[in-house]
Amino acid sequence: MFPKAKIALFASGSGSNALKIIEHLQKEANFILFCNKAQAPVIEKCLALGIETVVFNRNDFYQTQVVEKYLAARQIDLIVLAGFLWLLPPTLIAQYPKRIINIHPSLLPQYGGKGMYGAHVHQAVFEAAEAQTGITIHFVNEKYDEGEIILQKSVSLSYPPDTPETIARKVQILEHQYFPQVVAQWISENFTKDVE
Ligand code: GAR
């Protein structure tokens, strides 16, 4: 028997990636959802699965250490950002070296940085008529989208038929395929050693 990893999923939108990770890693991990939008669909989906859910606001996150205290109290091993757009406080990053993983819907360093998220990325890729796009899964540091890259996967584009919507769909397919794999890999490297 291996111990289960305790994973904090930070998400603020539909939560499709968070749900894929939960679905694929039920045996290997326990999850808590951290969400900064009280109306985000991801909350209802996680509650339906019986997943503990913590909602916080900007003041909680940046002016108090309530989120950090919660993570520490729950002895969280890994933080996974699955559609979370706020920059993390430096104190939080310092507490979890190589233990915070983000997914970004482009081939970083292209189309990264503040304001580049979700549909904005796909629109920019389309307008530049890029021949390819993809995903980047990376550790988080104190700058937007600049942490050490763990995995990138690309997909070809052409015009026609590609549009911002088809680009988004192609990227989402990659995200759903590879994000759970990367988290599983992190767990196997950090939780299956030294255990009888
Ligand atoms: C994902 O495409 C993820 O790459 C993106 O938000 C989406 C969340 O979708 N993250 C960023 O753009 C971070 N800069 P989901 O709620 O369906 O998982």
Side-chain angles (χ1 to χ4, degrees):
M1 272 292 284
F2 296 122
K4 280 190 167 191
K6 297 189 202 75
I7 298 182
L9 288 166
F10 279 64
S12 60
S14 81
S16 72
N17 281 285
L19 270 286
K20 285 283 171 201
I21 289 169
I22 293 166
E23 191 182 302
H24 280 80
L25 296 169
Q26 279 171 1
K27 290 201 195 81
E28 294 87 349
N30 289 321
F31 298 94
I32 303 181
L33 173 72
F34 287 79
C35 182
N36 57 337
K37 281 194 189 160
Q39 307 305 325
V42 65
I43 295 179
E44 204 170 314
K45 293 175 188 171
C46 281
L47 288 175
L49 293 172
I51 290 178
E52 182 179 352
T53 298
V54 178
V55 180
F56 59 93
N57 62 26
R58 192 171 279 278
N59 185 66
D60 297 331
F61 201 47
Y62 292 114
Q63 307 302 328
T64 78
Q65 293 203 313
V66 67
V67 172
E68 286 160 60
K69 284 183 182 152
Y70 210 106
L71 292 166
R74 287 287 193 274
Q75 297 184 303
I76 291 297
D77 300 300
L78 176 69
I79 297 173
V80 174
L81 309 185
F84 185 75
L85 307 179
W86 291 356
L87 205 56
L88 301 191
T91 47
L92 177 53
I93 292 167
Q95 275 167 26
Y96 294 88
K98 288 213 172 182
R99 291 199 291 149
I100 310 176
I101 298 175
N102 181 46
I103 191 160
H104 187 79
S106 75
L107 294 169
L108 291 173
Q110 294 180 79
Y111 304 102
K114 194 166 168 37
M116 267 296 166
Y117 59 88
H120 298 285
V121 175
H122 308 312
Q123 183 67 35
V125 166
F126 174 74
E127 283 171 12
E130 296 286 359
Q132 61 169 9
T133 189
I135 60 168
T136 304
I137 300 172
H138 64 95
F139 289 115
V140 171
N141 67 11
E142 59 291 338
K143 298 205 179 125
Y144 270 114
D145 303 326
E146 289 187 20
E148 180 190 334
I149 290 174
I150 303 167
L151 179 89
Q152 290 190 302
K153 290 286 171 185
S154 62
V155 62
S156 298
L157 303 174
S158 54
Y159 313 92
D162 278 313
T163 63
E165 290 72 30
T166 65
I167 295 171
R169 183 68 194 131
K170 285 179 171 181
V171 167
Q172 189 181 53
I173 289 168
L174 291 179
E175 291 189 329
H176 290 177
Q177 181 176 357
Y178 289 105
F179 206 8
Q181 287 184 19
V182 167
V183 176
Q185 177 75 24
W186 189 95
I187 292 171
S188 77
E189 285 170 4
N190 290 277
F191 276 81
T192 53
K193 288 182 210 156
D194 305 320
V195 178
E196 294 285 310

